[in-house]
Amino acid sequence: MGKTYDVRIWAVRQRKDRGQSSAELRWRVGNTPHSQTFSTKTLADGRRAELLTAVNNGEPFDEATGLPLRELRERNDVSWYRHARDYIEMKWPTSPAKTRTTLADAMATATPALVSTRRGMPDTMELRHALYGWAFNCNRWTEEPPAAVARTLAWVERNTLPVSALDDPLVIRKVLTAFTLRLDGAKAAPSTFKRKRAIFHNALGFAVEARRLPHNPLTQVQWAVPPAVDEVDPGCVVNPRQARALLEAVAEQGARGQHLKAFFGCLYHAGMRPAEAVWLRRENCDLPLSGWGTLHLDGSRPRVGRGWTDSGAPHDTRGLKWRPEKEIRHVPIPPEFTAMLREHLDTYGTASDGRLFRTLRGGIVQESGYGEVWARARKQALTPQQYASPLAARPYDLRHACVSLWLNSGVDPVEVARRAGHSVAVLLKVYAKCLDGATAMANARIDEALSRWS
């Protein structure tokens, strides 16, 4: 069943039920009959006139309910705040914890732009805290919010526009403008805008599905989406000599640094994401006494926060990124790194669950901890000019360096994509960058080729 223009309305007929007279209005929408009983014929005739007016105006009807779609939408109309919570509730069960945070972020950005008045409006940070931390976090809905949060959400609930108001392109434009700004008023990154716009588009699609909007109004707005910079900055990619120096500098940062040397080695030699490295267990490692080894990666543990996971743990339980839940990624690792992992296991053993890397208390390695070690190692290993540049500014840049090394070594892009856990299209768009100093190497090869023809 769906919408149709095939509508037939019969004349009102009088009925006597249990000694009382009533008036019955009958009509058919598509192949589905409908009827409604009124206490008087006058009321029935008035309703019949409303339906006839809708037919004469060329309005579509909903076959399931028998109502004109315009009227059905008016009956289903709710505030944007109510709809946004319905949307979050719909997406929550099937969304990973990290995705939940991005959904809440987008809704918390859109909602302040969809209010009917700014009189009495809480300040930006109060709104952000209440919307992101409470209104759009299903895990908090069973808790009693603080008084300040409750007041803020009560104001939002009273003053947000109805969903039907979003059929106005000028209202949609206000939301898109909000997506271009950060909380401090600075310009948001193009990738942030695109992510929030995509979520907003999906939320409007849910409004169409719930028959709260006739169509998705986002397509009516002429808005040039800024191009996102998806490519890796070549300036952040270290060469093998620099990578070795950084790993040695990590090991010189005390006991924690010595423990984390192999952790950073996972990022550089195996192209692992940090969330994959923190979950590397002994059972994932095939480490022969000599030659190449293999890592069999089967999951990750990204840190999201206790408030967003189903378990209440700060790390979410995830499979490999962008892969089916139980898929395993087999990554060959060079002898140099195979020996490094063997040495790490001989020295530190494993946690009770088999993890290679852990905190002093046996917990999962935290970004704050390995970030401090990396910052000190980077300052020690790089020249002042390199330290002031983006070169290896983040541990994640070691993964970029690894994939760039594979590509620049002539490895088939299909094989590189498989090892890195990417599609070939994403690989060539994002990672096909030069190593630090590779430009001079390329120029030397061109000089050599030209000299052969001189």
Side-chain angles (χ1 to χ4, degrees):
M1 293 186 180
K3 71 176 184 179
T4 180
Y5 295 90
D6 179 17
V7 181
R8 183 176 180 183
I9 304 173
W10 287 282
V12 175
R13 68 179 182 181
Q14 293 283 0
R15 298 186 59 180
K16 286 191 176 182
D17 299 316
R18 298 180 181 179
Q20 297 180 349
S21 71
S22 61
E24 183 182 30
L25 172 62
R26 297 172 300 130
W27 71 103
R28 176 178 53 78
V29 179
N31 296 318
T32 305
H34 298 275
S35 65
Q36 190 174 1
T37 302
F38 298 86
S39 59
T40 67
K41 186 174 184 300
T42 301
L43 293 175
D45 284 333
R47 180 55 175 160
R48 182 173 184 271
E50 292 174 354
L51 296 179
L52 285 172
T53 299
V55 172
N56 295 332
N57 289 338
E59 295 183 24
F61 278 61
D62 176 63
E63 187 171 353
T65 62
L67 300 177
L69 286 183
R70 174 185 52 78
E71 180 180 330
L72 182 61
R73 286 194 297 270
E74 291 174 354
R75 291 190 180 188
N76 292 337
D77 204 8
V78 298
S79 71
W80 163 258
Y81 176 72
R82 177 72 264 167
H83 174 74
R85 283 171 63 91
D86 289 346
Y87 172 71
I88 291 293
E89 187 175 20
M90 180 270 294
K91 299 288 287 186
W92 193 269
T94 58
S95 297
K98 184 60 178 178
T99 301
R100 293 171 179 175
T101 66
T102 59
L103 292 171
D105 181 29
M107 295 297 100
T109 305
T111 300
L114 295 173
V115 295
S116 58
T117 179
R118 293 188 173 272
R119 184 176 181 180
M121 189 175 188
D123 67 37
T124 301
M125 297 311 298
E126 288 178 341
L127 274 172
R128 174 70 182 185
H129 172 65
L131 292 172
Y132 179 80
W134 291 85
F136 302 131
N137 184 339
C138 287
N139 286 349
R140 309 295 292 273
W141 289 2
T142 57
E143 302 177 25
E144 187 69 26
V149 171
R151 286 194 300 271
T152 298
L153 295 183
W155 185 93
V156 172
E157 192 164 10
R158 288 194 309 269
N159 293 287
T160 48
L161 295 169
V163 171
S164 58
L166 274 70
D167 203 12
D168 182 351
L170 296 182
V171 173
I172 297 293
R173 186 171 285 275
K174 292 180 181 179
V175 178
L176 295 179
T177 300
F179 289 162
T180 65
L181 302 174
R182 301 190 316 191
L183 285 175
D184 59 4
K187 189 175 180 179
S191 58
T192 300
F193 175 87
K194 291 183 70 174
R195 181 181 67 249
K196 292 183 178 180
R197 184 186 184 278
I199 294 172
F200 185 53
H201 183 276
N202 190 246
L204 295 176
F206 178 59
V208 177
E209 181 182 333
R211 297 178 179 176
R212 294 169 179 172
L213 283 173
H215 56 269
N216 195 319
L218 193 58
T219 57
Q220 299 178 358
V221 180
Q222 296 184 9
W223 189 286
V225 179
V229 181
D230 295 325
E231 299 177 348
V232 174
D233 179 7
C236 75
V237 179
V238 294
N239 60 38
R241 185 183 299 108
Q242 293 165 335
R244 291 191 183 96
L246 284 165
L247 293 182
E248 290 303 322
V250 165
E252 294 174 9
Q253 305 306 312
R256 184 164 62 170
Q258 294 169 11
H259 178 81
L260 288 173
K261 177 182 177 181
F263 170 83
F264 290 113
C266 289
L267 279 57
Y268 180 70
H269 291 290
M272 295 172 66
R273 299 177 176 91
E276 296 169 344
V278 300
W279 187 239
L280 183 66
R281 290 156 295 151
R282 182 64 183 89
E283 64 188 73
N284 302 126
C285 304
D286 181 8
L287 307 173
L289 293 175
S290 62
W292 283 67
T294 306
L295 300 182
H296 310 282
L297 309 181
D298 59 1
S300 65
R301 293 296 184 271
R303 181 177 175 84
V304 185
R306 299 179 185 276
W308 301 95
T309 61
D310 292 330
S311 64
H315 291 81
D316 196 17
T317 301
R318 293 286 304 278
L320 298 174
K321 190 174 182 180
W322 309 122
R323 292 295 182 270
E325 184 176 351
K326 295 184 179 180
E327 183 170 320
I328 297 177
R329 191 167 88 240
H330 307 282
V331 183
I333 55 175
E336 173 185 350
F337 184 51
T338 300
M340 186 187 300
L341 286 179
R342 290 185 63 86
E343 181 182 354
H344 178 89
L345 285 167
D346 291 341
T347 304
Y348 302 104
T350 65
S352 58
D353 57 2
R355 282 178 293 111
L356 271 66
F357 310 110
R358 57 199 183 278
T359 63
L360 289 176
R361 296 182 179 180
I364 294 180
V365 175
Q366 308 288 336
E367 300 97 316
S368 57
Y370 68 70
E372 291 177 0
V373 170
W374 183 251
R376 291 196 299 266
R378 188 171 173 270
K379 187 173 185 179
Q380 176 179 323
L382 301 180
T383 67
Q385 183 179 2
Q386 291 171 335
Y387 180 73
S389 75
L391 186 65
R394 307 170 304 156
Y396 203 100
D397 291 330
L398 290 176
R399 169 174 159 85
H400 296 329
C402 174
V403 178
S404 296
L405 176 64
W406 290 343
L407 288 169
N408 281 276
S409 300
V411 180
D412 186 344
V414 175
E415 174 63 12
V416 174
R418 187 197 65 75
R419 295 187 184 195
H422 270 302
S423 68
V424 176
V426 170
L427 175 82
L428 296 179
K429 180 180 180 181
V430 176
Y431 287 99
K433 288 298 182 180
C434 296
L435 299 173
D436 185 53
T439 300
M441 294 170 59
N443 291 344
R445 291 174 183 173
I446 295 172
D447 281 338
E448 182 183 353
L450 290 173
S451 66
R452 289 198 300 266
W453 291 90
S454 63

